[in-house]
Amino acid sequence: MIAEQRSVRDLRTTKPDKICIMILDSETKAVELPEHHGDELRLWLRLLTCTTLIEGEVRSRLRERFDVTLPRFDLMAQLDKVPEGMTLSDVSKRMMVSNGNVTGLVERLVESGHLDRRTSDADRRVQVIRLTKAGRAEFRKMAAEHELWIADVFGDLTPKDVRELMRLLAKTKASAQKSAKARAG
Amino acid sequence: MIAEQRSVRDLRTTKPDKICIMILDSETKAVELPEHHGDELRLWLRLLTCTTLIEGEVRSRLRERFDVTLPRFDLMAQLDKVPEGMTLSDVSKRMMVSNGNVTGLVERLVESGHLDRRTSDADRRVQVIRLTKAGRAEFRKMAAEHELWIADVFGDLTPKDVRELMRLLAKTKASAQKSAKARAG
DNA sequence: GCCAATTGCTTGAAACCTAAAGAAATCTGG
DNA sequence: CCAGATTTCTTTAGGTTTCAAGCAATTGGC
């Protein structure tokens, strides 16, 4: 079982099982490792730090300026893109959160008048939700500022940096999806 | 109020308020926008997608293999780096979560025998927490597999990709911190 | 038509998280 | 020394989140 877990893609080409890799990192010092995965781990931690940092910043600003939570904003953002509305399942897939989570979130947003919810005629299991007129207006106001915040957060990156990051993150996403699929499927 | 919010770094050097920027992006098509922030927004969404994807994957595997949650794993990871222990405030700063959050998290980990907690002699407000022997042993086991999962998740990236991502994310982090500080400070 | 599997959503329990307020200990400038 | 500010941690209230279990509607095979 563990042996299977260890068949990491990195090592597929190396045949023996006990190879030691000698790494000379001029910036720090020489390190010797049986398997060299430290870089990926550091990369992951840095990715996580960036996201957490920015997410916290956006969360604070949304609360300060509009007294709204990030999940609500995200849900409204999804709906803004599709005026004819979407099902709860669609939302949960797009937001990458659990189904039960969306139920509660939608409940509160319907309650506050931002969302409109109706049972589908074709399939009575399905709930279609849309932004109300008021909900859409409020979201647009928030979204406009939000875009400026984000631009500011990434303000020190050159256009080239942005393009390069986009490219590398696309590659990362594909790699991660492949890895997730390999485990589950 | 809004006017203040609009002083985005990008635009600081431009004096008039209604400049239109003409951007010729050879890869896509010419676009004309009063302010060009769409790229940053897309970048942010992609960053968030990557992190959410990987985080979900790690969360699943931790639960499956070790029946442990990600926050607990993260907390133990922080403590593993500092054998002599740290204060709750240290932990909350490092993990970038609220103070009250750490209180509950630590409570449960002390309960389950993974953590050891004691009041500091020098300052009786301070609680110092450390991994117990059992806690450390269990963490090391989890960490070893975790490192392989992460290597697998980033498996399709070349070493050069990894280096470049590290560099760009470092720049992103610095930019985001500067932006956050400018708002708060 | 009928039964089983699937799909869409809801519910409930436990954990996680934040912001804000509060309690206790310590520090600091008279 | 001592009152006020600060620091450290806990508590509280309100949400968010996941997972698992469950219900209801639909679909597909026979």
Side-chain angles (χ1 to χ4, degrees):
Chain A
M1 193 60 95
I2 296 236
E4 296 236 332
Q5 293 270 6
R6 285 168 55 85
S7 69
V8 172
R9 215 172 297 154
D10 247 76
L11 304 172
R12 275 201 197 126
T13 50
T14 70
K15 279 136 330 183
D17 206 64
K18 294 190 66 181
I19 277 194
C20 280
I21 303 170
M22 193 66 178
I23 295 146
L24 291 173
D25 182 344
S26 61
E27 280 182 29
T28 55
K29 57 180 80 172
V31 287
E32 186 182 353
L33 293 170
E35 291 150 353
H36 181 57
H37 300 141
D39 282 352
E40 284 87 351
L41 191 52
R42 272 191 294 279
L43 175 56
W44 165 232
L45 293 176
R46 190 163 290 181
L47 186 62
L48 189 55
T49 298
C50 280
T51 302
T52 305
L53 192 61
I54 298 171
E55 200 175 308
E57 186 62 16
V58 170
R59 191 189 303 277
S60 292
R61 297 202 196 196
L62 280 176
R63 166 174 293 272
E64 244 170 53
R65 285 277 302 145
F66 301 109
D67 193 34
V68 75
T69 64
L70 184 53
R72 288 179 199 206
F73 178 79
D74 283 344
L75 176 42
M76 293 173 82
Q78 293 301 328
L79 289 177
D80 186 59
K81 289 188 281 194
V82 186
E84 67 273 21
M86 359 183 359
T87 71
L88 296 204
S89 291
D90 288 340
V91 173
S92 102
K93 269 178 212 116
R94 280 180 187 243
M95 292 180 70
M96 295 195 284
V97 299
S98 72
N99 232 330
N101 187 1
V102 173
T103 295
L105 212 43
V106 165
E107 208 167 74
R108 283 180 284 269
L109 279 168
V110 168
E111 169 73 22
S112 64
H114 293 90
L115 260 53
D116 169 72
R117 150 198 237 155
R118 62 177 54 184
T119 303
S120 163
D121 293 328
D123 184 338
R124 274 179 302 174
R125 290 170 305 179
V126 175
Q127 306 279 324
V128 177
I129 54 174
R130 287 180 308 184
L131 284 174
T132 60
K133 205 167 165 181
R136 184 174 304 277
E138 183 160 345
F139 172 74
R140 290 284 168 84
K141 225 172 45 186
M142 296 191 291
E145 273 198 43
H146 175 262
E147 198 163 319
L148 295 178
W149 302 338
I150 297 301
D152 190 54
V153 160
F154 290 98
D156 282 351
L157 272 62
T158 67
K160 189 182 165 196
D161 287 339
V162 173
R163 276 197 307 275
E164 188 64 2
L165 253 182
M166 285 288 277
R167 185 183 73 77
L168 289 168
L169 289 175
K171 199 168 176 182
T172 300
K173 181 179 167 188
S175 180
Q177 277 173 332
K178 183 167 151 192
S179 170
K181 202 168 177 182
R183 179 179 66 92
Chain B
M1 192 61 93
I2 297 238
E4 296 237 333
Q5 291 272 7
R6 286 167 55 85
S7 69
V8 172
R9 211 174 300 152
D10 249 78
L11 306 172
R12 272 202 199 127
T13 49
T14 70
K15 280 142 321 187
D17 206 61
K18 293 190 65 181
I19 277 193
C20 279
I21 303 171
M22 192 67 178
I23 294 146
L24 290 173
D25 182 343
S26 61
E27 279 183 28
T28 55
K29 57 181 79 173
V31 289
E32 187 181 352
L33 290 171
E35 290 148 354
H36 182 59
H37 299 142
D39 283 352
E40 284 87 349
L41 191 52
R42 271 192 294 280
L43 175 56
W44 164 232
L45 293 177
R46 190 164 291 183
L47 186 63
L48 189 55
T49 298
C50 279
T51 302
T52 306
L53 192 60
I54 298 171
E55 199 174 309
E57 186 61 17
V58 170
R59 193 187 300 277
S60 292
R61 296 201 196 198
L62 280 176
R63 170 174 290 273
E64 243 170 54
R65 284 277 301 145
F66 301 110
D67 194 32
V68 75
T69 64
L70 186 52
R72 288 181 198 202
F73 178 78
D74 282 345
L75 176 43
M76 291 172 83
Q78 294 300 327
L79 289 176
D80 185 59
K81 289 190 282 196
V82 185
E84 67 272 20
M86 357 181 3
T87 71
L88 295 204
S89 292
D90 288 340
V91 172
S92 105
K93 267 176 216 118
R94 280 181 188 241
M95 291 181 70
M96 296 195 283
V97 298
S98 72
N99 232 331
N101 186 5
V102 173
T103 296
L105 212 43
V106 166
E107 209 166 72
R108 284 180 285 268
L109 279 167
V110 168
E111 168 73 22
S112 63
H114 294 90
L115 260 55
D116 169 72
R117 152 196 234 152
R118 62 177 54 183
T119 304
S120 162
D121 293 329
D123 184 339
R124 274 178 302 173
R125 290 170 302 180
V126 175
Q127 306 280 324
V128 177
I129 54 174
R130 287 180 308 184
L131 284 175
T132 60
K133 204 167 167 183
R136 183 173 305 275
E138 183 159 344
F139 172 74
R140 291 283 169 84
K141 226 172 42 183
M142 296 191 291
E145 273 197 43
H146 175 261
E147 197 163 320
L148 296 178
W149 301 338
I150 297 300
D152 191 53
V153 160
F154 289 98
D156 282 353
L157 272 62
T158 67
K160 189 183 165 195
D161 287 339
V162 172
R163 276 197 308 276
E164 189 63 4
L165 253 182
M166 285 288 277
R167 184 183 73 78
L168 289 168
L169 288 175
K171 199 167 175 182
T172 300
K173 181 179 166 187
S175 180
Q177 277 172 334
K178 183 167 151 192
S179 169
K181 201 167 177 183
R183 181 180 63 93

